Amino acid sequence: MTGQVRGVQLARLLGQWHALPGRRRSPDYAALAGAVRGLLADGRLPLGVRLPAERELAEALRISRTTVTAAYRHLRETGHLASRRGAGSWTMLPGNHRVASTGLWTPLDDRDMIDLGAAAPAAPPQLLDAARAAAEDLPRYLGGAGYHPTGIIELREAVAAGYTARGLPTSADQIMVTSGTQHALDLVLRLALAPGGSVLVESPTYPNALAALAGRRARITTHGLAADGWDSDLLLGSLRQTRPKLAYLIPEFQNPTGHLMPTALRERVVAAAHAVGTDLVVDESFVDLPLDGTELPPPVAVYDRHSRVISIGGMSKPYWGGLRIGWVRAAAPQVQRLAAVRVGVDMASPVLDQLVAVHLLAHADAIVTDRRVTLAAQRDALLDALAQRLPDWRVTVPRGGVTLWAELDGPVSSALARAAEEVGVRLAPGPRFGLDGTLERFLRLPFTLPAADLVEAVGRIAAVRYDLDRAGRQRWREPAVIA
Ligand SMILES: Cc1ncc(COP(=O)(O)O)c(C=O)c1O
């Protein structure tokens, strides 16, 4: 069991359940059961969560208890609910369905493929100059051994200055440079999470974070994001009920949904985490990429008075993934402990790459401003192409980051990804961003490629989407025995 959802909370999630499209003339109990199944399939309602008692839900929905009883029975029959007398009812999927959501997810080197699987931009033109300048600086370091487990001081100072400029006073001894944000996450998990520890994550979330958590055999509970972002009540409720050891959140232009966590919730999440003894790992990968002049709320760590918040970030999204430079911001003693963990893994990050990062950060304003202009234009081209070619898909326009999360016209994301691969488009289907094989009605689309590629990709996707409908249902063959 991963917690429980109260009657009023479920009622809010269910919204207009009695008037959902496609309902036709089905009885109320069937419509209610269908709406609960829909929430499960979209990851809004986590698996293993306890549903409210029948009477409580009936009161919250202002319907008869018999309708709720019949809906729960129907959900049990279809394998979406498990009940034990006196203990309650828990959500599940038929046949204990679990799909591996982790695994290798790397960009392809096939040059004919339009790769929408990776949400990372190409290097900025200024990178070569930064690399040349870094090579000139290198002699200053060549007299030493070159091992700096927390990073070279110039880079730690530059990163600390970035936090200070965002309203979070930070000193260099609170920064540890890592080989990318993913490395930062892995190190933090090694330090803060014993094997088998409990973790709360958003659903959907970044697949490689799930991979890192799988590496710690973490017990994961999810907070389902709605079309407009986090549900404060549910998120704080899950923290209080499940009291996880750690929560992993992406508050700025969340990957994949693009949501930006509002200021008030930031403050409340930190307070709730402190109250229940949860450490917050805040992934700020996209914080440099607000679009349309969107104002950023203060960093989550601003509200931290008890060293509960560990922030991680890096150069990959605003600059280049190939640099492999990221960092952790934490209390200075935590940074020392992280460095001790780190030397058991890789000793230190390359000095030359760190120097390149120092030069890029020295020109941050110009580079990142260009980046934002390009990303906004690419996002708009993608939105236009979707509106023209796939008008039934629903998207919330992201105000930053590099991805949009499209709600499709059916639960076809994986099938679409398979079909798209055949026509030279690589996609990351919805279930990759969840734990349970849910999220089939969603697709992440990054806008990191040139506009012409995005438009071409949408054209190809629209063509195979149309073919999927005409292909009819896939039939299963008898499994062949190999002897
Ligand atoms: C939320 C999030 N965290 C971490 C990473 C990994 O970043 P890095 O290349 O810095 O390791 C990504 C990359 O897509 C990401 O989206």
Side-chain angles (χ1 to χ4, degrees), residues 214-228:
R216 302 296 292 161
R217 298 182 198 285
R219 282 179 294 121
I220 300 178
T221 57
T222 53
H223 167 66
L225 295 175
D228 57 353

Side-chain angles (χ1 to χ4, degrees), residues 180-182 206 248 250 255 283 285-286 316-317 324:
T181 315
Q182 184 69 21
Y206 174 53
Y248 168 78
I250 312 171
N255 185 0
D283 186 332
S285 285
F286 300 95
S316 296
K317 307 302 162 165
R324 306 312 307 136

